[in-house]
Amino acid sequence: MWDLKSEKVIEKVQAHGGGVRELQLTADARTLFSLGDDGLVKLWDVERWAALRSFEGVAAAPSGASLSPDGRSFVVGTRAGVLRFWDVASGKERDTVYVLRLRD
């Protein structure tokens, strides 16, 4: 993590195996949401930089993700055109949507 004012590293965190695709803060700025190339989604306590929860097997080949404004759910999209919706509290998948690509 970087301090933008001083431009210095303030904390080193091993978040994911591979690159990090998405980072989002919850509305209260107390929890950070991350999606890695490893297909893991993690929720982080921003004050302690500690993982609060990990969601494994969320998506193979993830292409992006978004946390809901209330922080209660998230969606992960894959390169194969699959959207998977998850509930944060239960840790369970709520729904799956398959997106079809139409040819011109």
Side-chain angles (χ1 to χ4, degrees):
M1 297 293 150
W2 290 81
D3 180 307
L4 296 178
K5 289 181 182 176
S6 69
E7 297 181 1
K8 295 186 183 206
V9 174
I10 57 172
E11 188 74 36
K12 290 184 180 182
V13 178
Q14 179 60 43
H16 293 276
V20 175
R21 289 207 162 263
E22 298 284 338
L23 290 173
Q24 292 180 1
L25 277 174
T26 55
D28 63 7
R30 297 170 73 188
T31 307
L32 182 71
F33 166 89
S34 67
L35 167 69
D37 284 335
D38 54 9
L40 291 175
V41 165
K42 293 185 179 184
L43 296 175
W44 301 85
D45 179 313
V46 173
E47 288 183 23
R48 297 181 297 126
W49 295 116
L52 297 170
R53 187 158 196 177
S54 292
F55 298 85
E56 294 186 29
V58 170
S63 61
S66 186
L67 184 66
S68 66
D70 63 10
R72 293 182 182 175
S73 61
F74 63 90
V75 61
V76 176
T78 71
R79 294 182 198 121
V82 179
L83 297 173
R84 296 178 71 189
F85 296 83
W86 294 79
D87 180 77
V88 170
S90 70
K92 295 184 179 179
E93 186 175 358
R94 288 190 355 226
D95 203 1
T96 302
V97 175
Y98 298 90
V99 180
L100 299 175
R101 294 183 185 172
L102 301 176
R103 297 178 193 221
D104 293 332

